[in-house]
Amino acid sequence: MYIKLFLIFIAYSLLTEISAFIIGVLLRINTFPIYNTWNLMNHFFYLFFFLHLLQNSLKRKILKFIIGIYAVFTAVVISFYVDFLSKFLSINSVIGSILIVISIMIYFSELLQSDEILNLKKSIYFWISLGVLLFNIGFIPVYIIAEFIVFGGVFKIITFFLNLLMISCFVTGFIVSKKEYN
């Protein structure tokens, strides 16, 4: 079930990129609403994705609390500080990425305490986690630095390579994972 949702989310991400390219580059229309919506969906999707992978009730409660705090934070930022339609939700992007890293660490800590660690490379969830973790760990400092300098070629190149790294993990997971471990 979670893999089907993951694939739907990947398809949604692809459609977002295609539509944003058409709207932004070809039609020269503001794409902030498209990317802000995707950004929020991305963070909430992965937070809930890792929540549903957790078995430990305490860790689930911690992650639910994190999701609740992020939801309130997002509502406050959109309501009072950033115009959703004309500015990028940059603080949400950084905070959301940090929370995703924390949720993956919680998931990994649970994996380390279980027998699943013995067949880790055969689990698609491990590969998805690894890809998302590597992307976000690389993205956070690059994005923060890019906020202080002009977003340009270097930022786009690094983001491109982080995306390739993440996608490579996803593809590897789909190739080497075994159904009985998922």
Side-chain angles (χ1 to χ4, degrees), residues 1 16 20 60 73-74 92 111 117 139 141 144 147 167 172:
M1 160 106 171
T16 298
R60 288 179 59 82
F73 174 78
T74 298
N92 278 70
L111 278 179
I117 194 76
F139 178 78
I144 291 171
E147 278 288 301
I167 292 166
T172 302

Side-chain angles (χ1 to χ4, degrees), residues 13-83:
S13 297
L14 178 64
L15 289 174
T16 298
E17 289 297 329
I18 292 169
S19 64
F21 176 79
I22 292 168
I23 292 169
V25 176
L26 301 179
L27 301 177
R28 300 204 185 285
I29 298 173
N30 175 8
T31 58
F32 285 116
I34 294 170
Y35 281 119
N36 283 337
T37 301
W38 178 86
N39 201 21
L40 293 175
M41 294 288 287
N42 176 56
H43 293 134
F44 282 111
F45 173 79
Y46 283 119
L47 290 171
F48 280 105
F49 183 82
F50 293 111
L51 171 67
H52 290 291
L53 294 180
L54 294 175
Q55 304 297 318
N56 182 293
S57 63
L58 176 62
K59 291 177 182 177
R60 288 179 59 82
K61 286 179 185 175
I62 291 169
L63 196 48
K64 285 179 184 178
F65 178 75
I66 289 171
I67 292 169
I69 294 296
Y70 183 64
V72 169
F73 174 78
T74 298
V76 168
V77 167
I78 291 172
S79 298
F80 300 110
Y81 296 105
V82 178
D83 181 9

